[in-house]
Amino acid sequence: MTSQRVIADRFEVVASGRSLKSLWWERSRNDRSYGEDDLWTLAVDRRTGARVRVLEPPSGSFWLWAASMWAEAVARHVVAAAVPHTVPILHVGDGVVFAEPPPAVPRPRLQPAQAAACALAACEVVARLHAIGCGGEYGRAADGRPAYDLPTPLDFGWHNLRMTRESGEWKIAWLVPGHLALADLDDTPPSADPDALARDLQDRLDGSLLDEPQSELPPKYDPHSDPIARDLARLAGFYLSLAPLAPGQPAAVDAVRRLAAGEPVVRDVAGLARLLVELGPAGAWDERIAALPVACVLPQPVLDWDRVIAAGEARLPGLVPRQRPYVALPLAVAYHRRASLRAAHAPDDALHDVDRAVELDPIAPYHITRAVLLDRLGRRDEARAAIAAAFAAPEWTDLPAAEIGELRLPRWHAVVVTDRERARAHATRGTIALRDGDLALAEHDLRRAVDLDPGAAHLHALAAAVYARGDLTGAAALEARAVELEPTCARYRWDLVVSLHRLGRRDEALFHARKLEAMEAGDPNGRARRIHLLGGA
């Protein structure tokens, strides 16, 4: 007799969740229908006796390991930040344990002000997730069906973004991270709602957002579009699902409609919230909107890399070769990201991490980082070999991959070496050549880096090579461009002062020296350098 599985010595498992694939097979073979309970791991809280639901990959789902790590990272953020309007999370680790959520009910029809209040609550959730780099719902195939093998932690369907009525008011209770498999149930009206099919038909006749050609992928489902724009379209669509379009509505409703259709009416969640407030929801929203994090570009997400690495290394030994890439590739990303964080203060530890990343997945970006670290540690011969390996690495891995929450997953089309990475490779080789005294190779590589990625760091490095070759005018022009891009970097501005002084352009040198004086106030070394170069000016 097998013992009962218990999570965190607290949650006693009653039934383990099933995969959609197995449920689909059973339905087609045995004509067995399934429901929400089949998709969850069901458990009981030993402390309270309450039912809980556990979001965890079905047994043996090694291909979902990376997505599980990202979902758990999002869950920890939801708990730490006390994100409002979400279903309470009781435990994170080996899955996410939710308190029993309210029943999933079809979207009610509300007055515009009530609908706006619910949509504003959803905005509060999404804005906080965008701040940590979480955004962009899963993609859909051309026929509109969800892409179930590309799970992400944020789902807008009515089984994840739930509606509940409290004291006569409708509110949201969002499952974050979302249970993507529940999206399979979103397109199937429950038997308890006999009007759902008729309502869906009426929506289509009214020309709602669902009335789209099947041959085209709507912008809100296009996985290649900007993730923030996709979330804005879905937030706008959520409002419209609660308060359908009608004649004579305010201009703000038309703006929401256009946003849902993919037009860039606003660029961030706070902008949409300001539109929704015009529709008159009850409550004081001005301060709440002012407190929303603003993200026009989704930041790079940061996970607990120590936790991810420990979990991945523990998982690897039990995998057969065909399963291994699903853990090895995202594990290599984790090592590389931790190496990048350690590089400045602990280069030896960082090198150890990136060595493991290269061992797991020998792609060009990891070789480049390894070359940078070796050069920083004075191991220049090894650095040259590492950068040669970067240039020799193929453009594609054996299994093309995508990134979900920073973790690469196999079987998705993504070129590994971008122009930015090519620029980093050329800049690294050029910098090593500059230190070796091979000025021609240094200038060639650094110019290539600037062509591919004209950032301040590459411009400054190229200026150093040009200066070393005696072209002071060219060096000054490059340094001026670097200062223009990063005006607060004292090192870039100081090198410009030196070049201008040597060119006899004293007034320009003095202008930038005075800028440096303000930037380096109280730094005696900076003042001494300026006096030595420019005298008492």
Side-chain angles (χ1 to χ4, degrees):
M1 182 176 178
T2 59
S3 60
Q4 190 72 33
R5 183 161 67 102
V6 179
I7 298 172
D9 295 325
R10 176 180 173 185
F11 305 101
E12 188 170 316
V13 173
V14 175
S16 295
R18 303 274 303 280
S19 70
L20 273 175
K21 184 177 181 180
S22 67
L23 291 170
W24 286 338
W25 183 86
E26 198 168 310
R27 181 177 61 184
S28 63
R29 185 177 180 86
N30 301 326
D31 195 27
R32 177 187 178 276
S33 61
Y34 57 88
E36 181 180 341
D37 284 356
D38 295 297
L39 297 168
W40 286 99
T41 290
L42 304 177
V44 173
D45 187 342
R46 286 177 166 179
R47 296 181 186 175
T48 64
R51 281 167 48 101
V52 298
R53 293 177 181 258
V54 186
L55 174 61
E56 61 179 357
S59 177
S61 300
F62 52 86
W63 59 89
L64 293 176
W65 177 77
S68 298
M69 291 291 99
W70 178 220
E72 288 185 13
V74 171
R76 289 189 176 90
H77 171 76
V78 170
V79 173
V83 176
H85 320 300
T86 57
V87 177
I89 294 173
L90 305 178
H91 172 75
V92 184
D94 295 325
V96 179
V97 181
F98 288 99
E100 180 72 9
V105 297
R107 298 276 158 81
R109 292 300 189 255
L110 305 178
Q111 293 299 315
Q114 291 181 299
C118 292
L120 281 163
C123 286
E124 289 190 285
V125 176
V126 175
R128 285 168 172 78
L129 293 176
H130 282 179
I132 63 160
C134 175
E137 193 189 19
Y138 54 83
R140 293 206 176 201
D143 62 0
R145 298 288 294 176
Y148 292 106
D149 53 349
L150 189 61
T152 59
L154 193 59
D155 184 272
F156 289 76
W158 58 275
H159 277 84
N160 277 289
L161 177 45
R162 302 195 178 203
M163 302 289 296
T164 182
R165 200 167 191 176
E166 298 178 7
S167 302
E169 292 290 328
W170 283 97
K171 298 181 179 180
I172 69 168
W174 207 340
L175 287 164
V176 181
H179 189 340
L180 178 62
L182 294 180
D184 181 59
L185 305 175
D186 289 343
D187 296 327
T188 306
S191 57
D193 182 22
D195 295 329
L197 284 173
R199 196 165 61 232
D200 178 67
L201 176 60
Q202 186 61 47
D203 283 344
R204 293 176 183 273
L205 293 175
D206 290 342
S208 75
L209 295 175
L210 297 173
D211 188 17
E212 294 157 336
Q214 287 192 345
S215 60
E216 298 177 7
L217 193 66
K220 59 188 175 181
Y221 294 137
D222 184 355
H224 303 295
S225 64
D226 175 69
I228 289 181
R230 289 159 58 198
D231 286 345
L232 289 172
R234 275 181 289 273
L235 283 168
F238 174 56
Y239 167 80
L240 293 173
S241 71
L242 300 174
L245 296 173
Q249 290 186 320
V253 175
D254 181 65
V256 172
R257 178 193 62 77
R258 290 187 287 112
L259 183 63
E263 292 187 35
V265 177
V266 295
R267 296 187 59 199
D268 55 61
V269 174
L272 172 57
R274 286 188 286 272
L275 280 177
L276 293 169
V277 163
E278 295 180 26
L279 301 175
W285 283 96
D286 289 346
E287 290 186 8
R288 291 166 69 174
I289 292 173
L292 291 179
V294 175
C296 297
V297 176
L298 205 64
Q300 189 177 59
V302 176
L303 284 75
D304 183 340
W305 299 117
D306 292 344
R307 186 187 301 273
V308 173
I309 287 168
E313 290 289 5
R315 191 75 184 265
L316 272 182
L319 300 176
V320 300
R322 67 178 178 82
Q323 299 170 341
R324 185 179 171 85
Y326 290 91
V327 175
L329 297 190
L331 180 58
V333 172
Y335 272 111
H336 185 249
R337 293 286 288 120
R338 191 171 74 175
S340 300
L341 295 173
R342 289 176 163 182
H345 304 293
D348 288 298
D349 292 338
L351 181 61
H352 177 77
D353 278 348
V354 83
D355 282 345
R356 179 60 172 150
V358 168
E359 181 183 356
L360 291 166
D361 189 15
I363 59 175
Y366 303 162
H367 285 296
I368 298 166
T369 300
R370 187 168 182 271
V372 171
L373 290 168
L374 288 166
D375 184 45
R376 185 175 299 173
L377 291 167
R379 296 159 61 177
R380 199 167 297 169
D381 289 340
E382 293 173 83
R384 290 191 201 93
I387 203 65
F391 279 103
E395 289 280 303
W396 300 76
T397 55
D398 291 337
L399 288 173
E403 291 189 4
I404 299 299
E406 279 288 289
L407 301 178
R408 293 173 56 243
L409 298 175
R411 293 188 178 175
W412 280 81
H413 50 283
V415 177
V416 171
V417 185
T418 63
D419 281 349
R420 186 173 184 180
E421 289 295 342
R422 291 189 188 94
R424 198 162 72 100
H426 282 285
T428 302
R429 188 168 68 179
T431 302
I432 294 172
L434 182 61
R435 292 199 184 99
D436 287 342
D438 190 344
L439 301 184
L441 176 60
E443 182 176 351
H444 169 80
D445 269 319
L446 291 167
R447 284 196 184 280
R448 182 63 180 143
V450 168
D451 289 341
L452 291 167
D453 182 21
H458 294 157
L459 287 163
H460 181 257
L462 176 58
V466 171
Y467 185 96
R469 300 195 77 182
D471 182 2
L472 300 186
T473 301
L478 291 165
E479 287 156 356
R481 287 169 60 192
V483 167
E484 184 179 352
L485 290 174
E486 291 192 21
T488 60
C489 180
R491 181 163 59 95
Y492 295 171
R493 197 178 292 271
W494 177 252
D495 284 354
L496 175 58
V497 168
V498 172
S499 295
L500 292 171
H501 174 70
R502 289 199 61 190
L503 286 167
R505 293 156 60 176
R506 183 174 174 79
D507 290 344
E508 294 174 75
L510 283 172
F511 170 82
H512 289 286
R514 289 179 181 128
K515 291 277 188 182
L516 278 169
E517 188 174 359
M519 294 166 60
E520 298 178 330
D523 180 0
N525 293 325
R527 185 170 185 273
R529 285 197 304 268
R530 290 190 296 277
I531 291 174
H532 176 75
L533 183 68
L534 302 171

